[in-house]
Amino acid sequence: MPRQERLPRPIGKGGSWVKPCLNPSLVRTRDLEAYLDIAAQAGYTAVEADVGAVVALVRAQGMRAVRKLFRDRGIELGSFGLPVDVHAEEAVFRAGLERLPEAAAVAAELGARSACTWLWPSVDELPVPYASRLAVRFRRCAEVLAACGLRLGLEFVGPHHLRGRAYPFVYTMADTLAYIDGIGAPNIGLLLDSYHWYTTEATAEDIRRIPVHRIAHVHVNDTDRPPAEAVDNERLLPGEGRIPLAAFFTALADIGYAGPVSIEVLRKEPFAEPDLEVARRALAGLRRVLAAV
Amino acid sequence: MPRQERLPRPIGKGGSWVKPCLNPSLVRTRDLEAYLDIAAQAGYTAVEADVGAVVALVRAQGMRAVRKLFRDRGIELGSFGLPVDVHAEEAVFRAGLERLPEAAAVAAELGARSACTWLWPSVDELPVPYASRLAVRFRRCAEVLAACGLRLGLEFVGPHHLRGRAYPFVYTMADTLAYIDGIGAPNIGLLLDSYHWYTTEATAEDIRRIPVHRIAHVHVNDTDRPPAEAVDNERLLPGEGRIPLAAFFTALADIGYAGPVSIEVLRKEPFAEPDLEVARRALAGLRRVLAAV
Amino acid sequence: MPRQERLPRPIGKGGSWVKPCLNPSLVRTRDLEAYLDIAAQAGYTAVEADVGAVVALVRAQGMRAVRKLFRDRGIELGSFGLPVDVHAEEAVFRAGLERLPEAAAVAAELGARSACTWLWPSVDELPVPYASRLAVRFRRCAEVLAACGLRLGLEFVGPHHLRGRAYPFVYTMADTLAYIDGIGAPNIGLLLDSYHWYTTEATAEDIRRIPVHRIAHVHVNDTDRPPAEAVDNERLLPGEGRIPLAAFFTALADIGYAGPVSIEVLRKEPFAEPDLEVARRALAGLRRVLAAV
Amino acid sequence: MPRQERLPRPIGKGGSWVKPCLNPSLVRTRDLEAYLDIAAQAGYTAVEADVGAVVALVRAQGMRAVRKLFRDRGIELGSFGLPVDVHAEEAVFRAGLERLPEAAAVAAELGARSACTWLWPSVDELPVPYASRLAVRFRRCAEVLAACGLRLGLEFVGPHHLRGRAYPFVYTMADTLAYIDGIGAPNIGLLLDSYHWYTTEATAEDIRRIPVHRIAHVHVNDTDRPPAEAVDNERLLPGEGRIPLAAFFTALADIGYAGPVSIEVLRKEPFAEPDLEVARRALAGLRRVLAAV
């Protein structure tokens, strides 16, 4: 049997070893079905998506229908934003926490491996009490997620313009891993974003020092600015800037990472082109980068 | 763009909502690459595999090569047997536990969501000390697995001929879930096997009472005997016996299960047909059953 | 300064190294103040007491008054029965659990180190699900107790006439310690009762194998019957029977136990003598036994 | 029996409700037996002591002899400094952690309820990674201590002259409790020291807001300086300065605290008077303060 027949979804050179995810930041649509259509048409096999919209659809149409929506398009849920506001007042946090089990169960059945959120690089509150209050909340979320075989991914945020508050929080890989250790839940991992890796001037060697199982999720994007000048919401598509993404992915390949890579390109304004076009251009950019690995 | 192009891997009617896994019990080959070839040629997108063989190959050829082996064939690792002998003496258990982090990290990158093991339905030892010693070991394994976003799946075993030891252990869904609660690790779930569901005379309603996130993995198979007479290692391919598999999967669909379904057909002798033929017949049987859901 | 003046509470030979506790089983009175008076008059420095009565008094008169009641008599709370019915239906268990933090905080301030409960030696329910449901509850209680620096002591029960239910649970030191390990809460320990040590025909050597920190509390009492014939609620005062208590306490001394020893003498009928007289006779008996160590 | 006889150790008015502990900071002697003699002669019933010296004596003379040393003098171990250097490099920390089980078991049998250590009010390291690394270590220590029914007490340190490092850590009751919550071990509590309470300008009302079970241990001492000028190692005996100790203890009494109160008076030079005299003066000072409650 010719390989062509066995492998109906041809995968570009070098692109087979991670799972590129369409990210909501790339598109204008907020309709889940339209979003999945775009993902499938552009050639993705996974998406990052708003789990709130997914749960709403499950409630309206049932899990079977939603599962079919994903499977008919060959799409899995790669990861999703933690649907709990860990920065909010206690009542808001608790309300989110109570909704988490349903979201986690739905997301896990659609293929998700992690729910992710991020950390401020600097804070105005006293840093240790602030970190401690967050740790309590992360631990609670992580325990709910563990029951569905999901991890909680914590993303450090690197851009220098966000470091100006009164005290530093964590914004390097090493410090974020130390913070995760301090929280003490076994299923919390790192969300490694190329933008933050670049703006903290981390190296490929730094990535190679991380045990692969500690990386829960990966974001990719680009910038044409030097590390200290890159602005968080002025990102470029992967391969359209100067971040050494080949080195980034080579290091990830070296440690054995084979999970989702979500193309998160935060911007002030949406892209001008049609959603499908952006989705394709993003994936093509990622594939070019991966081909160099 | 015609759907045909977007969905290069055509999925049979009703078959899209779970992930059929090829299971080593179906084939004679013990060569990993040959096994993956059979899986791909027969139309599977996932396999259950011996993680020891996978790790050995990673050590020999590197993670990139092994990942490529899976990805080139469009195959994920659906689940794997816990590579730790929890029934052995302490030194053997510990040696296995020390090797678990490597196996878990590799397996997670290849797509696995769970490592699974099983429980005797009856034991000669005093049951509570026995269950307690196992609980300590399961908890340790579960903590290692959690760090990779994996769950530990525990399988209850139903055949009546295995219930004859001095004391009952656990062999129903409810009792196994109670035992899992007693262990107290958030990421331990149930491995639900149609054979054990049938031989314990559980109902579809019993499945509907389980929160979907508590099911870590599913095995499917069949028998032409009444529940009390089915022998553990004389199983049939799904759809070739009398287990009401349509009811089984309808209940799983109703609670939203969308994960791997491994066709585990334990037998005294391997199948007489060539491996590829058995793998195809098994998948065809599962698809017919799923089509009735 | 002569030692006589420095040590105003003369302690009998050999009696200084454990803390004898008056136990409610010795007396008829259920009035806390009268009970403390008897304890002090009979020469005890610690009591086991119904924590519900203590909490009720704290609510009525305030913690200062209750503390004064104990301190004025030189009495500490040595231990107390876990005020949560772990065998009851879920709602009753939960109600008890909700009251536990208050009881634990009060008891800890009055000197308690542990709350104790006991395990049936045999059960009619399937033993592993039964043990598992209890484990969940013990873990919850233990976590509440830990916050006050208290341990949960679990007592195995030895009398043969209680072993007749359908399945064995745990009734030896080794099996109880295995069960405690299985529960997985660091602050659960053993309540070692001389009656159960004797009726399970354990040896001094068995005690010597226990790390001292695993013993949370000790009960002492006696019987004039052989091990297989001793009835649980027909106990004698320590030293008035045939239990080799000198060997029992020598082993405890050897491993370094120096905590409370509560004289628990369960009987069908209360003692005929006045409470104070029984309390004195019990302590004298214990001191004679300890003098032989 | 007249009360005088039942209560051989007369306790001053108001002094009965806490357990005054002699603290090594008050005396010059480093000999354990001499220290216990001083404690007993001065009228203490508890001491804080170097657990390393206690363990050394247990190893040399056996637990029975050491227990007798304490009991013959009517002295309990009130608390002890955590004998693990949580600030050291990993190998040193681990070596200490390995010795902790023995120390904890010995200390618990001698009456201790907690092991205590302290937190810098400011640090030069990045505060969140620093706090996280400590949290991991505190959690490990706390788990070992829990097995002996001990708590880990964390002391916040208030003097302003120690706040000058690059970043604030924690130095108020509320922030320390938040940090403790963040660590996530149930048996970690607060060590409340009157010096730090005063120098952080906390109020009696602040104490009244703390659930009593969260206080693991109490230190008392005094200063004649204003809060911002009090120097950490220039402390006075309780009642010899201006700290509102009556308010401090009234608040502790109001929430029901009845545990050890160790008179820790850090100084550049030891007291000039003989040890026994200082020990007596300290206890007399504490009793005067307590009499005002």
Side-chain angles (χ1 to χ4, degrees):
Chain A
M1 183 189 241
R3 169 145 314 188
Q4 208 56 17
E5 280 183 53
R6 306 209 320 261
L7 286 177
R9 187 181 301 119
I11 298 168
K13 176 172 167 281
S16 67
W17 60 278
V18 292
K19 292 187 193 169
C21 294
L22 183 61
N23 186 287
S25 63
L26 296 178
V27 299
R28 290 166 186 262
T29 186
R30 290 295 166 259
D31 177 76
L32 184 61
E33 187 164 356
Y35 181 65
L36 295 178
D37 277 338
I38 290 164
Q41 288 170 19
Y44 293 84
T45 57
V47 297
E48 225 180 284
D50 171 22
V51 78
V54 179
V55 167
L57 206 63
V58 168
R59 288 183 175 181
Q61 305 187 4
M63 184 64 189
R64 285 194 194 202
V66 173
R67 199 171 42 205
K68 189 168 157 48
L69 216 59
F70 279 77
R71 291 283 171 88
D72 280 354
R73 287 160 185 77
I75 299 290
E76 291 204 335
L77 187 60
S79 183
F80 61 103
L82 181 73
V84 178
D85 186 349
V86 295
H87 302 282
E89 58 179 89
E90 188 65 16
V92 173
F93 167 74
R94 282 185 181 280
L97 189 65
E98 279 167 25
R99 287 188 306 264
L100 185 57
E102 180 183 10
V106 163
E109 294 304 329
L110 296 173
R113 302 295 299 252
S114 63
C116 295
T117 190
W118 48 273
L119 306 169
W120 286 110
S122 67
V123 291
D124 284 328
E125 294 91 336
L126 280 175
V128 175
Y130 172 87
S132 300
R133 285 188 295 268
L134 270 187
V136 170
R137 291 180 167 191
F138 287 144
R139 207 157 44 224
R140 288 190 187 154
C141 293
E143 191 162 354
V144 172
L145 295 171
C148 298
L150 296 172
R151 285 200 283 177
L152 174 60
L154 296 188
E155 180 179 28
F156 63 97
V157 169
H160 293 227
H161 65 93
L162 295 170
R163 300 185 191 175
R165 293 189 184 169
Y167 303 105
F169 190 56
V170 288
Y171 57 82
T172 66
M173 281 192 281
D175 288 350
T176 308
L177 287 172
Y179 180 55
I180 289 170
D181 287 336
I183 298 170
N187 64 320
I188 302 185
L190 197 67
L191 162 42
L192 177 61
D193 182 308
S194 60
Y195 214 78
H196 307 312
W197 174 77
Y198 174 74
T199 53
T200 55
E201 299 185 63
T203 66
E205 208 42 57
D206 292 331
I207 293 175
R208 284 195 192 89
R209 274 192 287 267
I210 306 174
V212 66
H213 77 266
R214 301 210 63 176
I215 301 182
H217 191 39
V218 170
H219 281 171
V220 66
N221 36 54
D222 216 330
T223 180
D224 55 5
R225 311 255 182 88
E229 292 167 29
V231 175
D232 197 42
N233 63 352
E234 297 183 6
R235 304 187 187 187
L236 301 180
L237 291 175
E240 302 190 2
R242 54 187 274 183
I243 298 182
L245 291 174
F248 179 79
F249 282 110
T250 300
L252 282 171
D254 286 346
I255 62 172
Y257 184 77
V261 172
S262 184
I263 307 171
E264 189 200 45
V265 182
L266 305 178
R267 291 160 51 91
K268 284 175 187 153
E269 298 294 332
F271 286 90
E273 301 91 325
D275 284 351
L276 178 58
E277 201 170 309
V278 180
R280 283 181 169 148
R281 198 173 111 209
L283 183 56
L286 175 56
R287 283 183 172 157
R288 274 193 307 274
V289 167
L290 292 171
V293 172
Chain B
M1 184 188 244
R3 169 143 317 186
Q4 208 55 19
E5 280 182 54
R6 305 208 320 259
L7 285 177
R9 186 180 302 119
I11 297 169
K13 174 172 169 277
S16 67
W17 61 278
V18 292
K19 292 187 193 168
C21 295
L22 183 62
N23 186 287
S25 63
L26 296 179
V27 299
R28 289 163 186 264
T29 186
R30 289 296 166 259
D31 177 78
L32 185 60
E33 186 162 357
Y35 181 64
L36 295 177
D37 278 337
I38 291 164
Q41 287 170 22
Y44 293 84
T45 57
V47 297
E48 224 180 286
D50 171 22
V51 79
V54 179
V55 167
L57 205 64
V58 168
R59 287 182 176 182
Q61 305 187 3
M63 183 65 190
R64 286 195 192 201
V66 174
R67 199 171 43 205
K68 189 167 157 51
L69 216 60
F70 279 78
R71 290 285 170 87
D72 280 353
R73 289 159 182 77
I75 299 290
E76 290 205 337
L77 187 59
S79 184
F80 60 104
L82 181 72
V84 179
D85 186 349
V86 294
H87 301 283
E89 57 179 273
E90 187 66 14
V92 174
F93 167 72
R94 282 186 182 278
L97 189 66
E98 278 167 27
R99 288 188 305 263
L100 186 56
E102 180 183 10
V106 163
E109 294 304 328
L110 296 173
R113 302 296 299 254
S114 61
C116 295
T117 191
W118 48 273
L119 306 169
W120 286 109
S122 67
V123 290
D124 284 328
E125 294 91 336
L126 280 175
V128 175
Y130 173 87
S132 299
R133 284 189 295 267
L134 270 187
V136 169
R137 292 180 166 190
F138 287 144
R139 204 157 47 224
R140 287 189 188 157
C141 293
E143 190 161 355
V144 172
L145 295 171
C148 297
L150 295 172
R151 285 199 283 177
L152 174 59
L154 296 188
E155 180 180 26
F156 63 98
V157 168
H160 292 227
H161 65 93
L162 295 170
R163 300 185 191 175
R165 294 189 184 170
Y167 303 106
F169 190 56
V170 288
Y171 56 82
T172 65
M173 280 193 282
D175 288 349
T176 308
L177 288 172
Y179 180 55
I180 290 171
D181 286 337
I183 300 171
N187 64 321
I188 302 185
L190 197 67
L191 163 42
L192 178 60
D193 182 308
S194 59
Y195 214 78
H196 307 311
W197 174 76
Y198 173 73
T199 53
T200 55
E201 299 185 63
T203 65
E205 207 42 56
D206 292 330
I207 293 175
R208 284 195 192 90
R209 273 192 287 269
I210 305 174
V212 66
H213 78 266
R214 301 210 63 176
I215 301 181
H217 190 39
V218 169
H219 280 172
V220 67
N221 37 53
D222 215 331
T223 181
D224 55 5
R225 311 256 180 88
E229 293 166 29
V231 175
D232 198 41
N233 63 350
E234 298 182 6
R235 303 187 188 186
L236 301 180
L237 292 175
E240 302 190 1
R242 54 187 274 182
I243 298 182
L245 291 173
F248 179 80
F249 282 110
T250 301
L252 282 170
D254 286 346
I255 62 174
Y257 185 77
V261 171
S262 184
I263 307 171
E264 190 201 43
V265 182
L266 304 179
R267 290 157 53 90
K268 285 174 186 152
E269 298 295 330
F271 286 91
E273 301 90 325
D275 284 352
L276 178 58
E277 200 170 307
V278 180
R280 282 182 169 147
R281 197 173 110 207
L283 183 57
L286 175 57
R287 283 185 172 154
R288 273 193 306 275
V289 167
L290 292 171
V293 173
Chain C
M1 184 191 240
R3 169 143 315 184
Q4 208 55 21
E5 282 184 51
R6 306 209 320 260
L7 284 177
R9 187 180 302 118
I11 298 168
K13 175 171 168 281
S16 67
W17 60 277
V18 292
K19 294 187 191 168
C21 294
L22 183 62
N23 186 288
S25 64
L26 296 179
V27 299
R28 290 164 185 264
T29 185
R30 290 294 166 260
D31 177 78
L32 184 60
E33 187 162 359
Y35 180 65
L36 295 177
D37 277 337
I38 290 164
Q41 287 169 21
Y44 292 84
T45 58
V47 297
E48 223 179 287
D50 170 23
V51 79
V54 178
V55 167
L57 205 65
V58 168
R59 288 183 175 180
Q61 305 187 3
M63 184 65 189
R64 285 194 193 202
V66 173
R67 198 171 45 206
K68 190 168 156 49
L69 216 60
F70 279 76
R71 291 283 170 87
D72 280 354
R73 287 160 185 78
I75 299 290
E76 289 204 337
L77 187 61
S79 183
F80 61 103
L82 180 72
V84 178
D85 186 349
V86 294
H87 301 283
E89 58 179 270
E90 188 65 16
V92 173
F93 167 73
R94 282 187 181 279
L97 190 66
E98 278 166 26
R99 289 187 306 263
L100 185 57
E102 180 183 11
V106 164
E109 295 303 328
L110 296 173
R113 301 295 301 254
S114 62
C116 295
T117 190
W118 49 273
L119 306 169
W120 286 110
S122 66
V123 291
D124 284 327
E125 294 91 338
L126 280 176
V128 175
Y130 173 87
S132 299
R133 285 189 295 268
L134 269 187
V136 170
R137 292 179 166 191
F138 287 144
R139 205 157 46 223
R140 287 190 188 156
C141 292
E143 190 162 354
V144 171
L145 294 171
C148 297
L150 296 172
R151 283 200 283 177
L152 174 59
L154 296 188
E155 180 180 27
F156 63 98
V157 168
H160 292 226
H161 65 92
L162 294 170
R163 300 185 191 174
R165 294 188 183 170
Y167 302 106
F169 190 56
V170 287
Y171 56 82
T172 65
M173 280 193 282
D175 288 349
T176 308
L177 288 172
Y179 180 55
I180 290 170
D181 287 336
I183 299 171
N187 65 319
I188 302 185
L190 196 68
L191 163 42
L192 178 60
D193 183 307
S194 59
Y195 213 78
H196 307 311
W197 174 76
Y198 174 74
T199 53
T200 55
E201 299 185 62
T203 65
E205 207 43 56
D206 292 331
I207 293 175
R208 284 195 192 89
R209 274 193 286 267
I210 306 174
V212 65
H213 77 265
R214 301 211 62 176
I215 301 182
H217 191 38
V218 170
H219 280 171
V220 67
N221 38 54
D222 216 331
T223 181
D224 54 5
R225 311 254 181 89
E229 293 167 28
V231 175
D232 198 42
N233 64 350
E234 297 182 8
R235 304 186 188 187
L236 302 180
L237 292 175
E240 302 190 0
R242 53 186 274 181
I243 298 182
L245 291 173
F248 178 80
F249 282 110
T250 300
L252 282 170
D254 286 346
I255 62 172
Y257 184 77
V261 172
S262 185
I263 307 170
E264 190 201 42
V265 182
L266 304 179
R267 292 159 50 92
K268 284 175 185 153
E269 298 295 330
F271 286 90
E273 302 91 323
D275 284 352
L276 179 57
E277 202 170 307
V278 180
R280 282 181 170 146
R281 198 173 110 209
L283 183 56
L286 175 56
R287 282 183 172 155
R288 272 193 306 275
V289 167
L290 291 171
V293 173
Chain D
M1 185 191 242
R3 167 143 319 184
Q4 208 57 20
E5 282 183 52
R6 303 209 322 260
L7 284 177
R9 186 180 301 118
I11 298 168
K13 174 173 168 279
S16 67
W17 60 276
V18 291
K19 292 187 192 167
C21 294
L22 183 62
N23 186 288
S25 63
L26 296 178
V27 299
R28 290 165 185 262
T29 186
R30 289 294 166 259
D31 176 78
L32 184 60
E33 186 163 359
Y35 181 64
L36 295 177
D37 277 338
I38 291 164
Q41 287 170 22
Y44 293 84
T45 57
V47 297
E48 224 180 286
D50 171 21
V51 79
V54 178
V55 167
L57 206 63
V58 168
R59 287 182 176 182
Q61 305 188 3
M63 184 64 191
R64 284 194 194 202
V66 174
R67 198 170 45 204
K68 189 168 157 49
L69 217 60
F70 279 78
R71 290 284 169 86
D72 280 354
R73 289 159 184 77
I75 299 290
E76 289 204 337
L77 187 60
S79 183
F80 61 103
L82 180 73
V84 178
D85 186 349
V86 294
H87 302 282
E89 57 179 271
E90 188 66 14
V92 173
F93 167 73
R94 283 186 180 279
L97 190 65
E98 278 167 26
R99 288 188 306 264
L100 186 57
E102 180 183 10
V106 163
E109 294 304 328
L110 296 173
R113 302 296 300 253
S114 62
C116 295
T117 190
W118 48 273
L119 306 169
W120 286 109
S122 66
V123 290
D124 284 328
E125 294 90 337
L126 280 175
V128 175
Y130 173 88
S132 300
R133 284 188 296 267
L134 270 187
V136 169
R137 292 179 166 192
F138 287 145
R139 205 157 45 222
R140 287 188 188 159
C141 293
E143 190 162 355
V144 171
L145 294 171
C148 298
L150 295 172
R151 284 199 283 178
L152 175 59
L154 295 188
E155 179 180 28
F156 62 97
V157 168
H160 293 228
H161 65 92
L162 295 171
R163 300 186 191 174
R165 294 188 183 171
Y167 303 105
F169 189 57
V170 288
Y171 56 82
T172 66
M173 281 193 282
D175 287 350
T176 308
L177 287 172
Y179 180 55
I180 290 170
D181 287 337
I183 298 171
N187 65 320
I188 302 185
L190 196 67
L191 162 42
L192 178 60
D193 181 308
S194 59
Y195 214 78
H196 307 311
W197 174 76
Y198 174 74
T199 53
T200 55
E201 299 184 63
T203 65
E205 207 43 56
D206 292 330
I207 293 175
R208 283 194 192 89
R209 274 191 286 267
I210 306 174
V212 67
H213 78 265
R214 301 211 62 176
I215 301 182
H217 190 40
V218 169
H219 281 170
V220 67
N221 37 54
D222 216 331
T223 181
D224 56 5
R225 311 255 181 87
E229 292 167 28
V231 174
D232 197 43
N233 64 351
E234 297 182 6
R235 304 186 188 187
L236 302 180
L237 292 175
E240 301 190 2
R242 54 187 273 182
I243 297 182
L245 291 173
F248 179 79
F249 282 110
T250 300
L252 282 171
D254 287 345
I255 61 173
Y257 185 77
V261 172
S262 184
I263 306 171
E264 190 200 44
V265 183
L266 304 179
R267 290 158 52 90
K268 284 174 186 151
E269 298 295 330
F271 286 91
E273 302 91 324
D275 284 352
L276 178 58
E277 202 170 307
V278 180
R280 283 181 169 146
R281 198 174 110 208
L283 183 56
L286 175 55
R287 284 185 171 154
R288 274 193 306 275
V289 167
L290 291 170
V293 172

